[in-house]
Amino acid sequence: MLSQQLLNALTLGSVYALFALGFTLVFGVLAVINLSHGAVFMVGSYAALFLVTRFEMPLWLALLAAMAVSGMLGLLIDVLILKPLRARNAPHLIPMIATIGVAITLSSSAQGIFGAEILRFPEGTIPAGEFIIGDVHVRAIEIGIVGIAFTLMAVLFLAIRRTQLGRALRAIAESPKAASLLGINVEGLFHGTSFVAAALGGAAGVLIGLDFNAITPLMGQPILHKGIAVIILGGMGDIRGALIAGMFLGFAEVMSKAYLSSQLGDAVAFGLLFLILLVRPSGMFGRVLERKA
Amino acid sequence: MEWLDNYWSTYNTLVYSIGVHALLALSIWLTLACGLLSLANAAFMGIGAYVSALLSLQAGWPFAAVLAAAGVVPALVALIIGIPTLRLSGVYLAMATLAFGEVVRIIVLNLEITGGPEGLNGIPQSTQGWHILAILAFTIYGLARLRRSRVGRAFESIREDDVAASLMGIDVARHKLFAFVLGATIAGVAGGLNAHFTFFISPREYGFENAVDILTMAILGGIGSLVGPMRGATILTLLPELLRFLHEFRGVFNGIVLVLVVLFLPKGLWEPRRIKALFARGGRA
């Protein structure tokens, strides 16, 4: 029983972490709380579903295509909305409010186009294999989800830690002005970050869609709230923090659902969030990223 | 005058809604005037609605006492959560209030006394048009007086720069708390009024989307004046009725309006100088 729950927690936690990674990346680099990240996640999910049902695309290709679609969407949001706001130096809450508008637009569009009902992947598209290790039933799809999530996170992590590009990003996170003086193409990296973050969000959407096999226009809302909890737990803009906090939240949620009460599971995230904000607003790992944009 | 009666019986809920929404938009205006983005107003409205509905249904309190409770209980809750959370600034406060709203929604969804997901039914329809009108007028009068008072000026200086304000001897924390609590009171009363004419309430009406709706009203109308939030409330209440033909896509319109206003009309819809400038420059901002 416990090991089965641990597996569920690992799956859920890895998706939370993947989602929150893009979210926190945008905050770290662009200093914007992008509240459309949940809607982009939803778009990723629908994109994969559409490609699989309409064009009978294999799942791996649909995942890549969905990442491209949501990435482009993220880029579009940055170019059309966030960039003009940056240009006129809008107060820091304004971009956040604009992204709320984007989120509403996207989820209502999805509702108008695909309907409000739950959509599912057609039978046979999700690998149905199952292994039994000890007394744990491991679905093949779960291995895939955890594997893909960790691969994507590892790639991002290495890119930021080890490459010249990552160094430039970290410089922008410290101070966009100084970075630009050093000859870093700040606008270009803002666009790039938006693309990558949204693509990761879209990937998380596909993975959640596969895990629960239920896609709805409003699926972005709960995970956005969880994502907010994760990036506050991990420290805003802290990549490693988001990873650990995402896993942690997955575990906390699954365990409290399994052993306390099923309703409590949803409240856990927000209880934790509240507590952290009161006690340690800089996040669990405390490396303060103070940015009063 | 028969046509007037018919007209009224068809549209009175719409007119009532405008009044309630105006109160809500004013409640968020109060915190925005102080430079705080609080996304908890829908939750405070919900607390007011549930408290008042339960008092009417189960305790049989008179309507005036019920409405008073609808204001007092959210105020107390705001006081309790405000003291620790208002130390947070900017996005952190927005996130904390958003989380608080979610917690309230989950609690209401799971309690027995609130009727869970089904909500509460059969609330007496005690709200009369003049109740809403009187409370709205009283609120506007109070807020207008407040704006011109010492406290109102303190709000303004906190919004512009809270460090400078505190250096000038303004007790920033206390003023923020006052704005937060007063905002919660107004939202709670609005919730109470609303519950007593819609007859039915459920947790779905007090979630994140509703917090955003309230915010959109204030931003759309413009937060530079007291008329702004009311203008926004009126437009956003009437629009969905006019846009019925869009069906499921109605939400798209709301979202696009919010984005466009933020992008092109940062001071709200009614800003003659800005609108003129927009047209003069061929529609480019």
Side-chain angles (χ1 to χ4, degrees):
Chain A
M1 180 63 184
L2 177 67
S3 39
Q4 188 74 50
Q5 297 298 354
L6 284 175
L7 176 72
N8 292 344
L10 180 70
T11 318
L12 194 62
S14 63
V15 179
Y16 282 171
L18 183 62
F19 178 82
L21 218 57
F23 201 19
T24 209
L25 188 67
V26 168
F27 182 78
V29 177
L30 282 79
V32 168
I33 299 275
N34 180 4
L35 293 183
S36 67
H37 201 55
V40 169
F41 161 95
M42 176 270 303
V43 169
S45 216
Y46 272 103
L49 178 73
F50 183 74
L51 293 170
V52 166
T53 40
R54 187 61 69 84
F55 299 109
E56 295 178 7
M57 229 180 227
L59 212 46
W60 63 270
L61 193 60
L63 173 69
L64 289 180
M67 284 176 71
V69 169
S70 38
M72 287 311 291
L73 184 61
L75 183 64
L76 216 60
I77 294 170
D78 189 51
V79 171
L80 292 182
I81 297 166
L82 299 181
K83 190 177 173 185
L85 292 176
R86 280 199 292 274
R88 75 156 192 254
N89 229 338
H92 59 297
L93 288 172
I94 297 294
M96 182 171 124
I97 295 172
T99 57
I100 295 178
V102 175
I104 302 174
T105 311
L106 289 176
S107 52
S108 322
S109 306
Q111 198 158 349
I113 297 168
F114 296 100
E117 64 274 11
I118 298 175
L119 297 183
R120 299 182 196 285
F121 283 96
E123 215 155 310
T125 37
I126 300 179
E130 201 178 76
F131 314 91
I132 297 176
I133 306 170
D135 55 350
V136 185
H137 290 255
V138 185
R139 290 183 294 150
I141 190 69
E142 282 176 314
I143 298 180
I145 289 171
V146 175
I148 291 168
F150 274 94
T151 311
L152 289 172
M153 290 192 278
V155 170
L156 180 76
F157 205 68
L158 285 177
I160 286 182
R161 285 282 139 213
R162 296 265 182 267
T163 65
Q164 195 65 27
L165 193 73
R167 205 164 297 152
L169 277 183
R170 279 181 284 149
I172 295 178
E174 291 295 327
S175 159
K177 228 173 246 167
S180 142
L181 287 176
L182 290 171
I184 294 171
N185 177 2
V186 175
E187 275 301 317
L189 282 179
F190 279 167
H191 295 334
T193 304
S194 300
F195 180 88
V196 170
L200 293 178
V206 180
L207 296 184
I208 277 278
L210 289 171
D211 192 21
F212 294 112
N213 198 8
I215 297 172
T216 72
L218 294 177
M219 67 191 284
Q221 208 59 71
I223 194 150
L224 178 71
H225 294 163
K226 304 281 166 64
I228 290 170
V230 169
I231 70 171
I232 284 179
L233 285 177
M236 310 260 277
D238 186 338
I239 302 270
R240 195 191 40 170
L243 209 164
I244 301 171
M247 297 306 296
F248 178 72
L249 185 64
F251 276 88
E253 203 179 303
V254 168
M255 292 305 155
S256 54
K257 267 189 184 156
Y259 296 106
L260 294 172
S261 94
S262 60
Q263 287 94 19
L264 219 63
D266 292 319
V268 163
F270 305 107
L272 276 174
L273 188 166
F274 221 69
L275 204 72
I276 289 283
L277 276 176
L278 299 188
V279 189
R280 280 188 76 94
S282 50
M284 286 198 288
F285 312 105
R287 215 170 41 79
V288 190
L289 221 156
E290 189 64 30
R291 284 206 47 177
K292 278 194 163 180
Chain B
M1 294 306 263
E2 201 185 330
W3 67 271
L4 192 69
D5 282 341
N6 283 338
Y7 187 81
W8 182 245
S9 60
T10 320
Y11 289 106
N12 68 344
T13 45
L14 197 61
V15 177
Y16 287 5
S17 299
I18 292 177
V20 167
H21 287 160
L23 277 174
L24 289 169
L26 287 170
S27 78
I28 205 168
W29 171 87
L30 198 58
T31 39
L32 288 170
C34 210
L36 304 169
L37 176 57
S38 155
L39 294 171
N41 290 41
F44 289 132
M45 178 196 183
I47 295 175
Y50 271 96
V51 165
S52 65
L54 286 173
L55 286 176
S56 284
L57 285 172
Q58 310 223 340
W61 285 25
F63 189 50
V66 162
L67 271 190
V72 170
V73 176
L76 288 177
V77 176
L79 195 67
I80 294 166
I81 69 153
I83 291 170
T85 38
L86 290 173
R87 287 182 308 163
L88 306 166
S89 62
V91 289
Y92 289 90
L93 180 72
M95 299 295 105
T97 50
L98 194 156
F100 166 73
E102 245 349 72
V103 171
V104 169
R105 196 182 60 85
I106 292 171
I107 290 175
V108 169
L109 202 59
N110 289 304
L111 279 184
E112 202 136 305
I113 191 167
T114 56
E118 279 99 49
L120 292 174
N121 219 329
I123 304 163
Q125 289 175 300
S126 327
T127 304
Q128 305 283 328
W130 68 268
H131 294 147
I132 299 180
L133 199 66
I135 289 173
L136 187 59
F138 178 71
T139 308
I140 294 167
Y141 174 73
L143 291 180
R145 288 292 299 268
L146 183 81
R147 276 190 88 189
R148 302 210 186 316
S149 72
R150 203 186 164 84
V151 177
R153 293 186 212 287
F155 282 177
E156 206 170 314
S157 68
I158 292 170
R159 186 185 64 215
E160 291 303 322
D161 188 337
D162 56 354
V163 178
S166 75
L167 288 176
M168 291 196 306
I170 294 169
D171 188 340
V172 174
R174 193 167 287 199
H175 279 91
K176 282 182 175 175
L177 190 62
F178 179 63
F180 191 61
V181 170
L182 197 57
T185 313
I186 300 175
V189 172
L193 285 170
N194 191 50
H196 287 81
F197 77 76
T198 55
F199 182 71
F200 161 74
I201 53 176
S202 79
R204 241 177 311 157
E205 294 155 47
Y206 309 107
F208 177 66
E209 293 79 20
N210 309 85
V212 171
D213 282 346
I214 299 173
L215 179 68
T216 313
M217 289 172 194
I219 301 267
L220 174 71
I223 56 168
S225 70
L226 282 174
V227 186
M230 290 190 285
R231 184 165 44 223
T234 312
I235 295 172
L236 278 192
T237 316
L238 290 179
L239 264 186
E241 300 303 316
L242 301 176
L243 295 173
R244 274 188 189 284
F245 64 94
L246 288 176
H247 302 292
E248 289 92 344
F249 287 96
R250 268 191 287 173
V252 177
F253 188 82
N254 263 3
I256 291 178
V257 165
L258 185 56
V259 173
L260 291 181
V261 167
V262 167
L263 276 181
F264 299 114
L265 299 167
K267 296 220 166 123
L269 203 53
W270 189 252
E271 199 198 343
R273 221 186 310 156
R274 177 102 190 158
I275 293 174
K276 221 183 270 172
L278 270 180
F279 282 110
R281 273 182 288 162
R284 284 181 54 91

